[in-house]
Amino acid sequence: MIKKGNKLYSIFTGACPKCHQESMYSNKNPYMLKDVLKINDSCSHCGTKYRIEPSFFYGSMYVSYAVGIAFAVAAFVISYLFLGSGLMTAFIAIVGTLIVFYPVIMRLSRNIWINLFMHYDKSLVKPKTD
Ligand SMILES: [Zn+2]
């Protein structure tokens, strides 16, 4: 298990990159497609604004290429090398994987992107008062 305080925690859960106390996303489920890219304005726990500048998340497109390739390679390795499928089947597996995991890839890319600029800060983690 990845614990709070580790960058990977924020990357894999979409938690606030600074305090790791709550999700950046208004809907935690990436497969609610209308909400897939809905990110709150700021963290209600530590007040961090997620958009450093208005078009901040456009940069995550570049990350999504890399993440997409990683998923494609994984799909290829699993189908072609492990399951011994033919090249055509492996190709279909890649396309299928990219489609099925598209919402996850989009979110992972944004999480990685914002974590390049923001870092966990333990002092922001306040005990809940309610
Ligand atoms: Zn926060």
Side-chain angles (χ1 to χ4, degrees), residues 16-22 43-48 50 124:
C16 167
K18 284 207 171 176
C19 72
H20 292 188
Q21 297 302 299
E22 65 174 47
C43 174
S44 74
H45 192 88
C46 71
T48 295
Y50 298 134
L124 294 173

Side-chain angles (χ1 to χ4, degrees), residues 10 14-26 38-57 110-111 113-115 117-118:
S10 170
C16 167
K18 284 207 171 176
C19 72
H20 292 188
Q21 297 302 299
E22 65 174 47
S23 176
M24 294 190 286
Y25 296 95
S26 51
K38 272 193 193 148
I39 286 182
N40 298 325
D41 286 333
S42 59
C43 174
S44 74
H45 192 88
C46 71
T48 295
K49 286 199 164 44
Y50 298 134
R51 289 173 188 78
I52 295 170
E53 49 190 66
S55 54
F56 175 65
F57 282 107
R110 289 185 159 216
N111 299 348
W113 181 247
I114 196 167
N115 269 282
F117 299 92
M118 295 185 188

Side-chain angles (χ1 to χ4, degrees), residues 62-95:
Y62 302 109
V63 181
S64 73
Y65 294 133
V67 175
I69 288 167
F71 272 78
V73 169
F76 178 79
V77 168
I78 289 168
S79 65
Y80 189 71
L81 299 180
F82 290 162
L83 303 178
S85 70
L87 274 179
M88 192 61 204
T89 311
F91 177 73
I92 293 167
I94 288 171
V95 174

Side-chain angles (χ1 to χ4, degrees), residues 91-110:
F91 177 73
I92 293 167
I94 288 171
V95 174
T97 300
L98 289 177
I99 292 169
V100 169
F101 286 101
Y102 187 70
V104 174
I105 292 168
M106 294 304 289
R107 283 202 172 181
L108 271 178
S109 309
R110 289 185 159 216

